[in-house]
Amino acid sequence: MEAKEPIIITEKEEMRKWSRFARAQGKTIGFVPTMGYLHEGHLSLIREAQKHAQVIVVSIYVNPGQFSLNEDLSTYPSDFLGDIEKLKSLPCGIDAVFSPRNLYDYGDGCGRSRLEMAHRTEGNAISCVEENGGGGHQTWVAVERLGKGLCGKSRPIFFRGVATVVTKLFNIVEPDFAVFGKKDYQQWRIIQKMVRDLDFGIKVIGAEVVREDDGIAMSSRNVRLSPDERKQALSISRALSKAKVAAEKGGLVNCKDLRDVVIKTIEEAGGRIDYAEIVDQESLEPAEVIEMPMAFCVAAWFGSVRLIDNVEINV
C-alpha cells in the first residue's frame, strides 16, 4: 500500500482553516501534540487517536516555554524528515502535520535564534517568551495545585509552559480528541484538569506507557544514555514493576516502605533520585498507605539524563 503523505502546515491560520474545513465535512479531529524525534511511543498515541477520530493532526514543536536556563533545550533531539517518514509508515497514515515556526511573540527579539533566546533569563522566568519591554509574551496558563508536586518541585516553570503551549495548540487545531501518554503522568492529569476547568470541548485520552523490549519506558532522551547508563536505567522499570505487584497483592501497603525499596534499587544501580512518590491517581496528593488507586511516579538521573516513569497501582 502506498504511504499516505500528510499535508505539512506551518501557519496558524492555515491550520485553523484546515480543521474547520474538515469539521464542515462532518469529520471528527484527533490531535497528538509532540516535540518531534518520534519513536514507537509517539506512534502508539497516534494509533490510539485513530480509534476515536476520522482525521488526525500531529504537531511537531519544541516548546521553549517549558525549558529553564539549566535545562536541555539546546540538546533536545530533532529529526523532522525522519519524523515524516515514520508518520508515513503508519498503516493508515495521518492527515496533517502542524509544525509552526514559532508560537510566541518575542517583542524585539523575534530575529534571534531559539537557543539564544532560551538563554536570556530574568529571575525564574524564561525571557525568550516573557514580556520584553511590553511587547513580548505575557499570558500564561497554570494548573496551580497539580503542578506543584512531583516534577513541579524541581522544574517550577515546566507545567506552566506545557499548559500554555497546549492551550495555544488546542485553540489553533481545534480538535475533538487529544491523546497524551501516561508516561508523563502528571502532565496528562494537568491537561485533563485544564480542559475541564477552562471548558474546552475536547476529550483528553490517556494512552498507556510504551516500553522497549527490556522494559525501559520509551523516551526521546534514551538516545542520550551511554550503554552502561542504559543498563543502569532499567532499574527504574524493574523496581516499579515489583512495587506494583507487591502493593496489588497486599504485601506492602505502607508507602514509605515501598518507596524505600524502589529508591534503594535505583541508587544501587547508579541512579540519582529526583523523586519517588506514591500519589492519588487524580489529585496527585501523596499518600501514606495504599488503600485506593494510586500512581507510583519516579524521576531519576543517570549521568546527565533525567528519566521519568510510573506505574498505576489499582487496589
Side-chain angles (χ1 to χ4, degrees), residues 63-76:
N63 174 35
Q66 66 195 55
F67 289 85
S68 63
L69 178 65
N70 62 345
E71 291 182 320
D72 54 0
L73 174 62
S74 64
T75 59
Y76 199 89

Side-chain angles (χ1 to χ4, degrees), residues 216 225-238 265-266 268-271 301-303 307:
I216 193 170
L225 295 166
S226 70
D228 285 343
E229 290 166 351
R230 171 61 186 259
K231 291 178 182 177
Q232 294 168 351
L234 296 177
S235 61
I236 301 178
S237 58
R238 289 172 180 168
T265 300
I266 294 171
E268 287 180 347
W301 293 87
F302 289 87
L307 301 177

Side-chain angles (χ1 to χ4, degrees), residues 4 30 32 43-56 87 90-95 179:
K4 183 176 182 178
V32 179
L43 301 185
S44 73
L45 303 184
I46 296 167
R47 286 192 285 268
E48 181 64 30
Q50 289 172 331
K51 298 175 184 177
H52 303 274
Q54 294 161 300
V55 296
I56 304 298
L87 294 173
L90 289 165
C92 296
I94 68 160
D95 299 275
V179 181

Side-chain angles (χ1 to χ4, degrees), residues 199-252:
D199 293 311
F200 281 98
I202 300 168
K203 182 175 181 180
V204 176
I205 298 164
E208 299 300 325
V209 179
V210 178
R211 301 184 181 278
E212 303 280 4
D213 291 341
D214 56 13
I216 193 170
M218 288 190 177
S219 170
S220 300
R221 297 184 178 190
N222 290 348
V223 298
R224 293 169 47 200
L225 295 166
S226 70
D228 285 343
E229 290 166 351
R230 171 61 186 259
K231 291 178 182 177
Q232 294 168 351
L234 296 177
S235 61
I236 301 178
S237 58
R238 289 172 180 168
L240 284 175
S241 178
K242 290 180 180 178
K244 175 180 172 68
V245 171
E248 291 182 347
K249 285 185 176 180
L252 275 177

Side-chain angles (χ1 to χ4, degrees), residues 5-9 14 18 94-98:
E5 189 84 37
I7 181 174
I8 298 174
I9 301 172
E14 183 183 355
W18 187 94
I94 68 160
D95 299 275
V97 173
F98 180 45

